[in-house]
């Protein structure tokens, strides 16, 4: 119920008209009695600065940031949390009494989605496909869970090497992935947008894999890589869960609360995907 004290939270990006974030956040607000509504705003880059001023003027408690502004927003904020600074991207901003603080909940949300599916990370051999912004956040949080090793494969090898060099500051067992290693992995993660706009797969299965396969693409819910993995009898983790967990983590930051995600996640998966 909207009343005189209802707050507004939002998502900004260049085109957020198809984003599922309002469905997720508004459902959470209804369930947990948080007096807030969540909307999407598509902005041009030259509108970012005015937007940030409006957040302060309207006392908006927080907002999310998506493509292509996760890096660009950093320069407009008052403070960046240590993890978001290391990752180099902000997807969540909290307005703390007029001071805007940037966070990154993408990587942590991804790791929560693996844990929710009882996927152990410690001691495992992981393949990450892609080396963009999403990969950086995911890699940072995966590396904190003590996997045995992480390999990165990417269309442009140089981009993977840059990410590997960055991560080596925190985690040693990371290197470029080689085609011959394919069957060795315990967890295979697609962080590229392949599978979103086309029915292509970023990975060619040999048929001998025994890995858990996960994708951060959530539209379609079952991408080609996930379908092929399922057809081979492999365990899969859908991208929709990362989207839900990063949202829950953002609400925890904005509203200084701890959210019991268990039942919410199952409900939200059904709501978003129908
Ligand atoms: P984001 O910040 O959301 O992760 P990004 O920075 O555009 O998005 O990164 C996308 C990742 O997907 C990159 O690793 C990119 O590979 P390149 O480094 O070679 O650009 C990868 N990617 C995107 N489209 C791809 C495609 N059609 N084939 C192979 N890789 C692709």
């Amino acid at each position: 119920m909207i009343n005189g004290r209802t707050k507004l939270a939002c998502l900004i990006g260049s085109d957020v008209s198809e984003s599922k974030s309002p469905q997720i956040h508004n459902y959470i607000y209804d369930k947990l009695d948080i007096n807030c509504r969540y909307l999407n705003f598509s902005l041009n880059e030259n509108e970012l600065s005015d937007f940030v001023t409006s957040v302060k003027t309207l006392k908006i408690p927080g907002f999310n940031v998506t493509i292509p502004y996760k890096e660009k927003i950093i320069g407009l904020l008052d403070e960046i949390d240590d993890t978001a600074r290391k990752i180099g991207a902000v997807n969540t901003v909290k307005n703390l009494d007029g001071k805007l603080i940037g966070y990154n909940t993408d990587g942590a949300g991804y790791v929560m989605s693996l844990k929710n599916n009882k996927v152990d990370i410690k001691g495992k051999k992981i393949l990450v496909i892609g080396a963009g912004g999403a990969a950086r956040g995911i890699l940072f949080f995966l590396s904190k869970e003590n996997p045995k090793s992480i390999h990165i494969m990417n269309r442009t090898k140089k981009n993977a090497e840059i990410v590997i060099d960055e991560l080596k500051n925190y985690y040693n067992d990371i290197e470029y992935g080689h085609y011959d290693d394919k069957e060795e992995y315990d967890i295979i993660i697609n962080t590229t947008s392949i599978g979103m706009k086309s029915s292509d797969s970023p990975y060619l299965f040999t048929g001998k894999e025994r890995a858990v396969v996960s994708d951060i693409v959530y539209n379609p819910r079952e991408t080609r890589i996930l379908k092929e993995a399922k057809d081979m009898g492999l365990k899969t983790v859908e991208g929709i869960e990362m989207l839900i967990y990063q949202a829950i983590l953002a609400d925890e930051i904005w509203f200084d609360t701890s959210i019991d995600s268990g039942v919410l996640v199952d409900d939200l998966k059904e709501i978003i995907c129908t």
Side-chain angles (χ1 to χ4, degrees), residues 67 70-71 129-136 153-157 159-160 190-194 200 202 216:
I67 296 165
K70 288 186 186 184
E71 287 95 12
I129 307 165
R136 286 210 306 273
M153 279 184 194
N154 193 43
R155 174 177 60 183
T156 313
K157 191 175 178 190
N159 291 343
N190 174 44
T191 72
T192 74
S193 52
I194 303 169
D200 292 344
I216 68 162

Side-chain angles (χ1 to χ4, degrees), residues 191-259:
T191 72
T192 74
S193 52
I194 303 169
M196 185 160 66
K197 295 174 201 108
S198 71
S199 60
D200 292 344
S201 172
Y203 185 90
L204 209 59
F205 287 100
T206 65
K208 292 185 187 153
E209 284 84 355
R210 55 189 168 75
V212 174
V213 178
S214 92
D215 199 339
I216 68 162
V217 172
Y218 63 86
N219 192 9
R221 183 169 175 177
E222 188 178 74
T223 51
R224 178 150 165 208
I225 184 174
L226 291 185
K227 180 169 188 329
E228 289 180 356
K230 262 189 204 163
D231 289 348
M232 286 169 56
L234 301 178
K235 179 169 179 152
T236 58
V237 179
E238 296 171 338
I240 196 78
E241 290 203 22
M242 171 181 170
L243 184 76
I244 294 169
Y245 278 110
Q246 63 77 29
I248 290 173
L249 290 170
D251 284 321
E252 288 188 334
I253 291 171
W254 295 334
F255 301 108
D256 283 321
T257 184
S258 168
I259 296 175

Side-chain angles (χ1 to χ4, degrees), residues 91-103:
N91 79 312
T92 297
V93 177
K94 179 182 173 88
N95 179 0
L96 186 69
D97 302 326
K99 186 167 78 172
L100 299 190
I101 309 171
Y103 297 86

